[in-house]
């Protein structure tokens, strides 16, 4: 507690009279007595104010200390628990009216863009050659998508060239690597595949022959185990590695995709628009028994998944309100699952890719999409689950992505995937100097192709490997969103159209849409997406200890051990402040007295003086120190 | 504290009732507040209360200090109120407990239906005209002619004298957009404004031919009110149109006949295994569904026992081979082939048309289940219903309550009320009958109007119907494999057809068969239940904590506050008012002459310091009030408010007061 106040025989009188704005005690003793008399803290009163009984004082001191210890121990426990920010999960069923989720469908039929079709054919021929080279002439397959008359015209030329290339390849196998590359480049320039300048782009881009598929024999395994892959080197050529696969199909696809990306980078952005008509993919679209409207879908083209449409992407139109659960009230689509354009090495699946996602969210079909078989009616029941994270002190999450270090490249709401992709694209731009074609570009950047950045493949694969092994800090920079909707999907399938009905169904489709069907029913698919139940399960994080409860338990502890309150603490503070001001005052007075010619008065006199002077203490105006 | 006796003495001579009141007054004397004026009372309270802060207001010196303490105390009170309000508001929160227990689980009911409701060959009698009409429409719209089809020939054979109700709702080919659009405007009513028909709709405009197919429903009483229904695809239009007429026809056929027209258990179920033991059609209960014909429910619990599985895994679930019989499919009603199944509780109605899962033919479908049971707390924690008894909608289904049942019942009720007949797909309310075109020519228009209202939530069904508090859920994981395999196909089909062959003299085709397995993936039951997070004890202790934290207050001090601030202050104020009123009254009686005297009297009333001591001595000591040393003697016998008290007591004590004042 406070030290015994110096001097002062008796407390100041409490005569009622005109009050000053601020009044101070005449002496420390007066102040202390006032405190003793008027404090509300239990224990202290007994301790300090219980008179001269020593034993009692000691007893009360001990008691006070013990209860103080208990109190602060409990406080420490409480605060450590609070500052760990524990959360409890609460689960609730929300049955508020909701919107139908956004649905994206893709036809898995990437478009052959006109400006690069010539190079695509070359690429396909290169793939054919690689197949022959890897697996022998018996394994040669026709991959090229050329029309037959073109083929006839070019056949002779191709043959010659193929032979030549095979020879080259054989030579390549056992030549010195560095030397070979130089030579290869030179030869490329020399024999420049004759390209008819059908489109203006064709003239200035050539497929690189540097990245050819080779078979690698695993050491020690003899000729039983081998891997197929292609080599990627950095710009100096000093650091090379093979992107290799056990399976030749995977390697070929990977290789094809790598070249295809370079081709796509040639396309001017305006051309990479959606080229297909809605009716060519969606024969029928109905929601809740009513036909969809043109404003209900947004088309886009995905380089691998082909033409895509996102239905109800905004989620604001009352048309898409979900009123009842059940198949008749869902979204029903008849889709074409036929592959016309065929880039056979790019997508090897036939059917339709479907993804169900939240509104305003970029659909990442490679992550969450699922396939629909042709010739089948698939009914997909969905159930919405919501996750609400607390964020703030309770965990890392972001409400709208504004506080995330990574700037989103997607023009949609924040998702973890969008953040990761943006982060990766920016890392690409930083390290490789160009952007990957799968992700959007920030302003001023351009897509990678090996004409401009011959080593970008090496750079990309290195970076991708670092991302996958969590060495890139993208996962640290991208927090989870605080509010997420997950759609649980369960599917049932039935053959469609049935044998009995297929005749008229196809006739109707053929007549209304430009449906040119062959005899098999494997080119249409029906999808119905519906809510299994309208109530959604929401998992929420709630603080286990709210401030409110913390205060309550603090108060209980305080009352239990000490019987004091926040106001008692303020009393103590007031006492401290008073002591400080008083001692300052006395010091000042003494200092002043020392300088004056008067004989030095002792503290007792001083205090008596001060008591006498104003009657009950010093009066101060607000402005004075 | 007991007052002096004279009152008792006086009361002795009076009635016994008064005696008792007198005794009461003596033993439990009613005294006024602790101080005569409000400010005195406040001062007294602040000095004597146990609540922190108040005392400081009084004892602190300096105006600023006093003001600070007043502010501090008030803010502490405010904080207490705020925090306690928050505690109260969060009182009705629930915590969730999830228990996972491993136990022998009861197997759910499995309802299996063929997608096609009735055998097409048996239905010809009823549907021939409709089919003929449909084919005619197909031929005119699409140039589709089923030259080789047997159906067509048979339909021609069945060409009977046609009734004309197909003509009333014919399929239309909408060719000229502008013309139709204007027609629509004059027609006033559409299903949903703006969405039915778009002049510039690209879907509508699609394809080689610029026409769309739809049909028009008109109000029979007022032919100018029509609704045109168009579809984005002719397939949908024809199916919808067919279904409309189909329901009309089916509504006229009695239930027994319909059951005969549909598949029998022997037809439908080829083999059955449950828990590794063979089972047969006796384990299935027939259930007639209006849209799917005869359905069969396994383990429906109607026999009194509910089967359960001892082990998880596909071997120990239900395995059935279904005979789908694709040849008997109705080509216009259903376009997909397969069966529909639904897994539900024995007390639950299977809404197979809404949420049934389809399974494929020529394939083995394995459905793994995971059982979750949830319980919510009902009011006031959430707005759900335990049994549905408190919902003002009659449950038309003979099963336990669910939201879906409520919505369907509500709609059916509204349908019967406004259209005069019941919709075919839902059960009949008492005294109603299903709509058919002959009896209720207007029902289709009425139905679509009503459905539009329902979707727009104008019927009030969504508001009335609440969620059920507890529900069971089987989460399904489906996987499909080709079945039978190429090598096993031969013997399997032979054996199966031999099994069936006694009755059916045709070889089974693998596209007519479907293999279904339903099993528990594991026997873990997940039980999610809500419990109240707060009890009264916790709430009280939290209150105590808040009171203690800010002001070291307790319930007693709250009572004290109520006593002082409400009862005592009120009594002081009323006394004051009473006194004033009385004075005014007497002043008025005395007239203008007594005015000055009245003013005097007021000052001498309770303001007279001598009166303060009336119920002392405890009061003065408690207050430590300075005794009125030098105050003048009261000039008049004080005060008028004594009428509130016992007159006698006052007069007795008056000399005492005077004495005190003197010394």
């Amino acid at each position: 507690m406070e030290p015994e106040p110096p001097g002062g025989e008796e407390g100041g009188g409490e005569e009622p009279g005109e009050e000053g704005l601020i009044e101070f005690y005449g002496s420390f003793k007066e102040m202390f007595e006032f405190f003793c008399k008027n404090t509300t803290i239990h224990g202290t009163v007994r301790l300090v104010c219980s008179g001269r009984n020593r034993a009692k004082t000691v007893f009360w001191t001990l008691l006070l200390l013990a209860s103080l210890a208990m109190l602060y121990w409990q406080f420490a426990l409480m605060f450590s628990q609070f500052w760990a920010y524990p959360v409890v999960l609460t689960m609730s069923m929300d049955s508020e009216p909701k919107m139908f989720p956004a649905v994206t469908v893709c036809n898995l039929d990437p478009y052959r863009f006109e400006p690069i079709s010539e190079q695509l054919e070359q690429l396909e021929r290169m793939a054919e050659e690689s197949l022959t080279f890897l697996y022998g002439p018996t394994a040669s397959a026709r991959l090229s998508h050329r029309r037959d008359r073109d083929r006839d015209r070019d056949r002779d030329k191709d043959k010659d060239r193929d032979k030549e290339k095979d020879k080259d390849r054989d030579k390549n196998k056992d030549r010195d690597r560095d030397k070979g590359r130089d030579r290869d480049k030179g030869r490329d320039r020399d024999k420049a595949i004759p390209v008819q300048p059908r489109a203006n782009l064709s003239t200035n881009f050539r497929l690189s022959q540097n990245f050819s598929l080779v078979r690698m024999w695993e050491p020690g395994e003899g000729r039983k185990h081998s891997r197929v892959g292609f080599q990627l080197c950095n710009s100096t050529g000093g650091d090379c590695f093979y992107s290799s696969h056990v399976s030749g199909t995977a390697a070929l696809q990977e290789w094809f995709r790598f070249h295809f990306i370079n081709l796509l980078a040639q396309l001017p952005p305006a051309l990479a628009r959606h080229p297909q008509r809605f009716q060519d993919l969606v024969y029928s679209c109905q929601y809740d028994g009513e036909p969809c409207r043109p404003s209900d879908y947004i088309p886009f083209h995905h380089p691998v998944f082909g033409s895509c449409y996102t239905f109800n992407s905004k989620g604001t139109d009352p048309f898409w309100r979900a009123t009842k659960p059940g198949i008749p009230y869902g979204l029903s689509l008849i889709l074409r699952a036929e592959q016309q354009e065929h880039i056979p090495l790019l997508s090897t699946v036939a059917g339709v890719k479907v993804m169900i996602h939240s509104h305003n969210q970029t659909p990442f079909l490679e992550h969450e999409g699922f396939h629909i078989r042709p010739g089948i009616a698939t009914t997909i029941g969905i159930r919405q689950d919501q996750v609400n994270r607390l964020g703030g002190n309770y965990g890392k999450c972001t409400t709208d992505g504004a506080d995330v270090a990574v700037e989103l490249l997607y023009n949609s709401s924040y998702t973890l995937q969008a953040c990761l992709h943006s982060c990766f694209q920016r890392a690409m731009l930083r390290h490789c100097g160009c952007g990957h074609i799968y992700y959007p570009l920030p302003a001023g950047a351009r897509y990678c192709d090996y004409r401009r950045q011959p080593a970008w493949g090496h750079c990309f694969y290195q970076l991708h490997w670092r991302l996958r092994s969590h060495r890139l800090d993208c996962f640290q920079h991208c927090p989870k969103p605080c509010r997420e909707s997950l759609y649980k999907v369960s599917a049932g399938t039935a053959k469609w159209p049935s044998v009995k009905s297929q005749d008229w169904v196809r006739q109707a489709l053929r007549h209304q849409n430009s449906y040119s069907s062959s005899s098999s029913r494997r080119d249409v698919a029906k999808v119905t997406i519906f809510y299994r139940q309208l109530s959604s399960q929401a998992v929420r994080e709630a603080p286990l200890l709210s401030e409110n409860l913390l205060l309550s338990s603090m108060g209980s502890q305080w009352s239990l051990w000490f019987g004091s309150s926040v106001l008692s603490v303020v009393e103590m503070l007031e006492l401290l402040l008073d002591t400080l001001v008083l001692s300052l005052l006395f010091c000042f007075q003494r200092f002043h007295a020392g300088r004056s010619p008067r004989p030095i008065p002792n503290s007792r006199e001083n205090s008596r003086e001060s008591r006498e002077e104003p009657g009950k203490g010093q009066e101060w105006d607000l402005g004075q120190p | 504290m007991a007052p002096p006796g004279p009152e008792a003495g006086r009361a002795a001579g009076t009635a016994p009732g008064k005696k008792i009141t007198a005794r009461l007054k003596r033993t439990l004397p009613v005294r006024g507040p602790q101080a005569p004026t409000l400010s005195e009372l406040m001062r007294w309270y602040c000095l004597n209360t146990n609540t922190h802060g108040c005392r400081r207001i009084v004892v602190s010196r300096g105006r600023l200090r006093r003001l600070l303490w007043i502010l501090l105390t008030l803010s502490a009170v405010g904080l207490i109120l705020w925090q306690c309000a928050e505690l109260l508001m969060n009182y009705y929160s629930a915590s969730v407990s999830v228990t996972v227990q491993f136990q022998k689980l009861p197997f759910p009911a499995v309802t299996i239906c063929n997608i096609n409701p009735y055998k097409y060959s048996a239905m010809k009698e009823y549907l021939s005209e409709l089919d003929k009409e449909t084919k005619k429409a197909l031929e005119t719209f699409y140039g589709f002619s089923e030259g080789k089809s047997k159906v067509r020939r048979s339909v021609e054979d069945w060409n009977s004298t046609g009734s004309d109700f197909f003509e009333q709702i014919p399929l239309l080919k909408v060719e000229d957009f502008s013309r139709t659009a204007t027609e629509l405007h004059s027609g006033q009513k559409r299903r949903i404004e703006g969405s039915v028909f778009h002049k510039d709709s690209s879907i509508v405009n699609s394809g080689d031919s610029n026409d769309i197919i739809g049909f028009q429903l008109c109000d029979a009483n007022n032919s100018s009110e029509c609704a045109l229904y168009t579809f984005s695809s002719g397939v949908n239009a024809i199916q919808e149109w067919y279904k409309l007429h189909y329901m009309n026809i089916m509504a006229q056929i009695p239930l027994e006949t319909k059951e005969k027209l549909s598949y029998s258990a022997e037809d439908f179920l080829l083999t059955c295994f449950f828990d590794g033991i063979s089972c047969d059609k006796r384990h299935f209960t027939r259930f007639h569904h209006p849209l799917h014909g005869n359905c069969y429910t396994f383990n429906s619990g109607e026999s009194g026992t509910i089967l359960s599985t001892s082990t998880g895994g596909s071997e120990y679930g239900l395995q059935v081979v279904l005979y789908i019989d694709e040849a008997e499919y109705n080509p216009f009603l259903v376009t997909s082939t397969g069966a529909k199944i639904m897994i539900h509780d024995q007390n639950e109605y299977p809404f197979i048309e809404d949420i049934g899962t389809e399974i494929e033919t020529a394939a083995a479908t394995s459905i793994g289940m995971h059982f979750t049971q949830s319980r919510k707390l009902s009011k006031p924690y959430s707005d759900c219903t335990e049994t549905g008894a408190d919902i003002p909608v009659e449950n038309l289904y003979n099963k336990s309550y669910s939201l879906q049942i409520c919505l369907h019942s509500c709609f059916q009720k509204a349908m019967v009320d406004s259209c005069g007949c019941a919709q075919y797909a839902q059960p009949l309310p008492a005294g109603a009958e299903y709509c058919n075109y002959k009896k209720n020519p207007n029902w289709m228009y009425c139905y679509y109007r009503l459905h539009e209202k329902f979707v727009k939530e104008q019927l009030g069904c969504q508001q009335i119907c609440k969620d059920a508090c507890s529900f069971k859920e089987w989460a399904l994981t489906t996987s499909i494999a080709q079945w039978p395999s190429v090598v096993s196909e031969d013997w399997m089909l032979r054996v199966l057809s031999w099994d069936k062959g006694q009755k059916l003299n045709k070889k089974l085709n693998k596209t007519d068969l479907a293999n279904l397995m339903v099993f528990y993936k594991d026997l873990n039951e997940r039980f999610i239940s809500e419990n109240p997070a707060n009890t009264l004890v916790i709430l009280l202790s939290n209150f105590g904590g808040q009171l203690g934290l800010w002001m070291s207050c307790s319930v007693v001090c709250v009572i004290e506050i109520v006593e002082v601030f409400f009862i005592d202050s009120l009594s002081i104020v009323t006394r004051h008012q009473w006194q004033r009123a009385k004075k005014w009254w007497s002043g008025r009686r005395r007239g203008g002459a007594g005015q000055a005297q009245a003013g005097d009297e007021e000052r001498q009333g309770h303001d007279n310091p001598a009166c303060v001591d009336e119920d002392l001595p405890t009061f003065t000591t408690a207050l430590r009030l300075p005794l009125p040393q030098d105050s003048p003697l009261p000039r008049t016998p004080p005060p008028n408010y004594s009428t509130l008290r016992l007159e006698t007591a006052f007069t007795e004590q008056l000399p005492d007061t005077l004495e005190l004042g003197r010394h």
Side-chain angles (χ1 to χ4, degrees), chain A residues 105-258:
Chain A
V105 290
C106 293
N107 68 350
L108 293 174
D109 188 16
Y111 191 68
R112 271 176 181 268
F113 288 99
E114 186 56 34
I116 55 164
S117 59
E118 193 66 32
Q119 278 98 341
L120 258 179
E121 277 167 38
Q122 284 173 29
L123 185 59
E124 275 157 356
R125 274 202 301 277
M126 271 165 68
E128 281 172 37
E129 287 160 18
S130 302
L131 272 179
T132 327
F133 163 65
L134 287 170
Y135 299 102
T138 47
S140 65
R142 255 185 68 179
L143 297 168
S144 175
H145 179 75
R146 240 181 326 164
R147 260 150 281 173
D148 283 342
R149 51 187 172 83
D150 289 357
R151 185 162 278 278
D152 291 340
R153 200 182 55 199
D154 290 347
R155 185 164 290 155
D156 300 332
K157 270 189 228 165
D158 285 353
K159 263 183 192 165
D160 297 344
R161 203 161 50 227
D162 288 355
K163 270 179 206 158
E164 203 180 329
K165 255 183 224 161
D166 284 350
K167 264 184 250 160
D168 290 345
R169 195 76 34 69
D170 289 341
K171 270 186 233 156
N172 284 359
K173 252 167 90 180
D174 39 31
R175 74 180 173 206
D176 182 299
R177 189 177 292 153
D178 287 347
K179 244 166 75 186
R181 184 176 292 112
D182 295 342
R183 219 178 347 138
D184 212 4
K185 269 180 193 163
R187 192 181 299 119
D188 268 357
R189 216 173 292 124
D190 291 344
K191 70 172 186 172
I193 301 160
V195 170
Q196 293 82 11
R198 205 182 293 168
N200 52 350
L201 272 166
S202 321
T203 42
N204 49 21
F205 183 76
R206 252 167 242 152
L207 286 168
S208 169
Q209 301 283 338
N210 287 353
F211 312 95
S212 48
L213 279 172
V214 285
R215 185 180 289 277
M216 289 164 288
W217 304 104
E218 277 179 24
E221 292 282 347
R223 290 186 76 82
K224 274 180 195 161
H225 297 276
S226 65
R227 294 168 78 88
V228 181
F230 57 100
Q231 198 192 32
L232 292 159
C233 290
N234 66 358
S235 49
T236 58
D239 183 25
C240 290
F241 76 98
Y242 280 93
S243 167
S244 63
H245 297 267
V246 176
S247 150
T249 47
L252 195 67
Q253 271 194 307
E254 177 91 35
W255 173 85
F256 187 87
R257 212 170 267 210
F258 176 69

Side-chain angles (χ1 to χ4, degrees), chain A residues 52-108:
Chain A
R52 308 279 166 264
N53 194 337
R54 277 281 166 83
K56 232 178 181 178
T57 313
V58 168
F59 173 70
W60 274 107
T61 316
L62 284 179
L63 218 59
L64 187 73
L65 285 179
S67 62
L68 259 181
M70 284 302 283
L71 176 69
Y72 284 102
W73 176 54
Q74 290 292 324
F75 272 13
L77 284 185
M78 250 186 288
F79 275 101
S80 68
Q81 202 188 352
F82 180 74
W83 279 323
Y85 293 110
V87 289
V88 279
L89 286 182
T90 61
M91 242 177 269
S92 58
M93 299 296 289
D94 289 346
S95 45
E96 79 233 16
K98 48 170 64 78
M99 303 299 286
F100 200 71
V103 176
T104 299
V105 290
C106 293
N107 68 350
L108 293 174

Side-chain angles (χ1 to χ4, degrees), chain B residues 267-323:
Chain B
D267 279 345
F268 190 46
L269 304 158
L270 284 185
T271 66
C272 168
F273 263 96
F274 179 71
D275 210 0
I277 301 159
S278 176
C279 53
D280 57 25
K281 65 180 169 70
R282 279 168 298 177
H283 292 88
F284 289 85
T285 316
R286 187 165 67 188
F287 150 77
H288 190 83
H289 189 280
L291 294 178
H292 289 287
N294 283 351
C295 295
Y296 295 91
T297 306
F298 177 76
N299 192 25
S300 66
E302 261 176 33
S303 57
T305 51
I306 292 172
L307 299 168
S308 57
T309 39
S310 47
T311 327
S314 59
E315 289 294 306
Y316 299 95
L318 174 71
Q319 283 185 47
V320 281
V321 173
L322 305 171
Y323 182 64

Side-chain angles (χ1 to χ4, degrees), chain B residues 69-85:
Chain B
W69 274 106
I70 289 175
L71 284 181
L72 276 171
T73 316
L74 285 182
S75 58
V77 172
L79 280 167
I80 287 176
L81 289 179
W82 172 43
Q83 296 285 328
C84 287

Side-chain angles (χ1 to χ4, degrees), chain B residues 61-97:
Chain B
R61 292 183 299 183
R63 274 180 288 158
L64 186 69
R65 218 184 269 256
R66 207 180 282 260
L67 189 74
L68 272 178
W69 274 106
I70 289 175
L71 284 181
L72 276 171
T73 316
L74 285 182
S75 58
V77 172
L79 280 167
I80 287 176
L81 289 179
W82 172 43
Q83 296 285 328
C84 287
E86 213 158 82
L87 281 175
L88 263 184
M89 278 193 289
N90 292 329
Y91 180 70
Y92 286 120
S93 57
S95 65
V96 176
S97 69

Side-chain angles (χ1 to χ4, degrees), chain B residues 230-241:
Chain B
T230 53
F231 298 87
S232 64
S233 160
V235 179
N236 295 331
I238 286 166
Q239 265 193 281
E240 195 74 9
W241 181 80

